[in-house]
């Protein structure tokens, strides 16, 4: 049985095939994977917020898109991934409660997705698939043997990215 | 460490626990009258936990729960989240709608409406107690409901707290309806600035 590595909120893990990295119950958070299919090295980052500069000092860079993605990238390069081969996939960014007068914080899922895309572009990592938005939670996992990114929901079925 | 919540004194934590106690007591009484059952509640826990650990308080991030969310406006803006494990929510709906236990297997519009009303009443009772302590004006929004994974539902409040630090101050009470196994968690999550407002209103600064 290949190892199953769990990633909590505002955290990330990197490893190599045949391990699978999983993060449970994402709402407005986003699970971003990076994977090098040749080296079979990859990681999963579970961000909560788009931008560390809009928050008070945090001890945890994995909480934000702008600090978490470069951090995971550097770990992956150390594990032997090649930047040009790395591809990214992401899912999450839901709005769990629908309010007529949704405040900014209610729409944070959307802002998370936009920030993640922008940072990936800056890092020159190709985003090849995404499943973001909606009003439902997701459990996401990346299989480091195959690179398949699986999204599970309660009643919106299961998807492979 | 940047987190203000880590610097709360024992006296401040006691004050918050007492507020939680009376608030939850009011809520439990209200709930007990609606469903005509004895409700037990535990002494509220005031805990400061890493954000990522909060979903474990309600069974883990992938546990199926029903969440009723209310935004609290006024002098100490906060969020209220009432979380029921899915089977407890179904049980509660059976009780409210006069059905046999086990009849409810999904939530229809009426069921959701009933649960939101419960959230409304609990929040109102809780805020009433908070007002008696603090004289702060606090007005709940209309409730919103979602049934999904606990982590996803909690992310709504955790992300907001995440802007200010890496820990959450959680004032949490567990309700248990006698013999029915209806279990619920009531979370009051003050916005970062609101905590100081509440504490200074009760005179523990």
């Amino acid at each position: 049985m290949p190892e199953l590595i769990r990633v909590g909120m505002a955290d990330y893990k990197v490893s190599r095939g045949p391990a699978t990295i999983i993060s449970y119950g994402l709402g407005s958070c986003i699970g971003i994977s990076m994977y090098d299919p040749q080296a079979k090295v990859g990681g999963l980052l579970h961000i909560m917020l788009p931008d560390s500069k809009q928050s008070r000092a945090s001890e945890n860079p994995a909480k934000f898109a702008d600090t978490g993605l470069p951090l995971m990238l550097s770990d992956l390069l150390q594990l032997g991934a090649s930047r040009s081969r790395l591809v990214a996939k992401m899912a999450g960014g839901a709005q769990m409660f629908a309010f007529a007068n949704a405040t900014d914080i209610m729409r944070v899922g959307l802002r998370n997705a936009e920030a993640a895309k922008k940072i990936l572009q800056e890092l020159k990592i190709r985003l090849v698939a995404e499943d973001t938005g909606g009003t439902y939670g997701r459990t996401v996992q990346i299989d480091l043997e195959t690179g398949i990114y699986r999204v599970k929901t309660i009643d919106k079925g299961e998807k492979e990215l | 460490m940047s987190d203000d919540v880590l610097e709360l004194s024992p006296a401040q934590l006691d004050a918050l626990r007492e507020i939680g106690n009376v608030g939850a007591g009011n809520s439990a009484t209200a709930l007990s009258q609606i469903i005509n059952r004895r409700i037990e509640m535990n002494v509220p826990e005031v805990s400061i936990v890493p954000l990522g650990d909060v979903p474990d308080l309600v069974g883990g991030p992938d546990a199926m729960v029903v969440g009723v969310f209310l935004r609290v406006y006024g002098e100490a803006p906060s969020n209220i989240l009432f979380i029921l494990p899915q089977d407890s929510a179904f049980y509660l709906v059976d009780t409210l709608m006069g059905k046999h236990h086990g009849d409810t297997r999904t939530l229809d519009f009426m069921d959701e409406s009933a649960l939101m009303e419960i959230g409304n009443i609990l929040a109102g009772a809780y805020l009433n107690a908070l007002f008696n302590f603090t004289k702060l004006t606090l007005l709940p929004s209309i409730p919103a409901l979602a049934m999904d994974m606990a982590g996803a539902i909690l992310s709504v409040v955790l992300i907001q707290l995440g802007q200010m630090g890496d820990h959450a101050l959680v004032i949490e009470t567990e309700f248990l309806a006698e013999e029915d196994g209806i279990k619920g968690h009531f979370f009051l999550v003050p916005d970062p600035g609101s905590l100081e407002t509440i504490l200074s209103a009760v005179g523990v600064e």
Side-chain angles (χ1 to χ4, degrees):
Chain A
M1 192 64 188
E3 192 187 1
L4 188 67
I5 303 167
R6 185 179 158 168
V7 179
M9 199 174 265
D11 193 10
Y12 76 103
K13 293 277 159 47
V14 295
S15 189
R16 54 180 79 245
T20 288
I21 312 180
I22 188 163
S23 200
Y24 295 97
L26 280 74
S28 304
C29 299
I30 295 196
I32 309 155
S33 73
M34 287 184 198
Y35 181 64
D36 176 339
Q38 195 173 319
K40 293 194 193 297
V41 161
L44 183 66
L45 166 72
H46 180 155
I47 59 153
M48 299 177 76
L49 285 158
D51 188 357
S52 63
K53 293 184 286 296
Q54 282 174 18
S55 295
R56 277 176 35 176
S58 166
E59 294 199 327
N60 180 6
K63 194 158 70 177
F64 308 96
D66 66 332
T67 46
L69 284 167
L71 185 67
M72 181 164 78
L73 173 61
S74 95
D75 277 21
L76 287 171
L77 296 178
Q78 273 185 16
L79 267 186
S82 137
R83 189 191 273 252
S84 60
R85 286 193 306 255
L86 278 172
V87 289
K89 297 179 183 179
M90 66 183 199
Q95 183 180 332
M96 296 305 298
F97 292 98
F99 268 104
N101 54 344
T103 55
D104 256 14
I105 198 72
M106 309 292 293
R107 283 191 293 264
V108 69
L110 180 67
R111 292 192 292 127
N112 276 336
E114 284 167 358
K117 278 182 208 172
K118 182 172 149 276
I119 304 293
L120 285 169
Q121 223 164 40
E122 285 171 17
L123 296 172
K124 301 198 167 44
I125 305 287
R126 220 155 29 99
L127 178 68
V128 293
E130 70 169 299
D131 174 37
T132 54
T135 55
Y136 48 90
R138 294 167 172 92
T139 287
V140 304
Q141 61 182 68
I142 170 112
D143 179 334
L144 299 181
E145 192 59 31
T146 60
I148 291 173
Y149 187 112
R150 189 165 280 123
V151 182
K152 288 183 196 164
T153 65
I154 299 298
D155 54 13
K156 307 279 183 226
E158 199 175 310
K159 254 186 225 180
E160 280 185 5
L161 303 182
Chain B
M1 183 61 73
S2 64
D3 284 20
D4 294 342
V5 290
L6 297 177
E7 284 153 26
L8 290 172
S9 69
Q12 289 174 319
L13 290 174
D14 275 348
L16 293 170
R17 190 171 294 117
E18 185 54 21
I19 291 170
N21 208 2
V22 177
N26 260 11
S27 298
T29 306
L31 185 59
S32 162
Q33 285 167 358
I34 302 164
I35 65 173
N36 204 17
R37 294 273 203 293
R38 222 167 82 88
I39 301 278
E40 313 230 355
M41 72 172 219
N42 63 6
V43 178
E45 301 245 9
V46 176
S47 40
I48 293 159
V49 288
L51 294 178
D53 292 353
V54 177
D56 291 334
L57 299 175
V58 296
D62 59 339
M64 273 299 285
V65 300
V66 172
V68 179
F69 177 85
L70 296 100
R71 178 79 187 137
V72 179
Y73 301 100
E75 292 175 81
S78 304
N79 292 316
I80 284 178
L81 194 53
F82 182 53
I83 290 196
L84 296 150
Q86 184 179 259
D87 50 349
S88 285
F90 289 173
Y91 232 157
L92 182 55
V93 169
D94 287 336
T95 308
L96 291 167
M97 308 301 260
K99 295 192 257 189
H100 292 290
H101 282 329
D103 279 1
T104 303
R105 290 168 184 280
T106 58
L107 298 181
D108 65 21
F109 179 75
M110 282 301 292
D111 300 336
E112 289 190 358
S113 184
L115 288 175
M116 284 194 275
E117 189 50 30
I118 293 290
N120 218 359
I121 290 164
L122 294 186
Y126 201 104
L127 292 177
N128 231 344
L130 195 52
F131 172 78
N132 287 336
F133 262 99
T134 61
K135 303 296 171 209
L136 296 170
T137 307
L138 300 166
L139 298 166
S141 72
I142 56 165
L145 178 139
M147 181 161 81
D148 215 306
M149 307 174 209
I153 285 180
L154 280 164
S155 73
V156 176
V157 289
L158 295 179
I159 285 178
Q160 185 168 20
L161 292 169
Q163 287 183 312
M164 302 302 287
D166 297 326
H167 293 78
L169 169 80
V170 181
I171 304 171
E172 184 213 15
T173 312
E174 191 175 23
F175 294 103
L176 287 168
E178 190 185 33
E179 84 226 10
D180 283 350
I182 298 175
K183 200 172 152 180
H185 297 261
F186 188 94
F187 291 92
L188 173 72
V189 188
D191 286 8
S194 300
L195 192 53
E196 289 89 74
T197 310
I198 293 170
L199 286 170
S200 82
V202 292
V204 251
E205 283 176 68

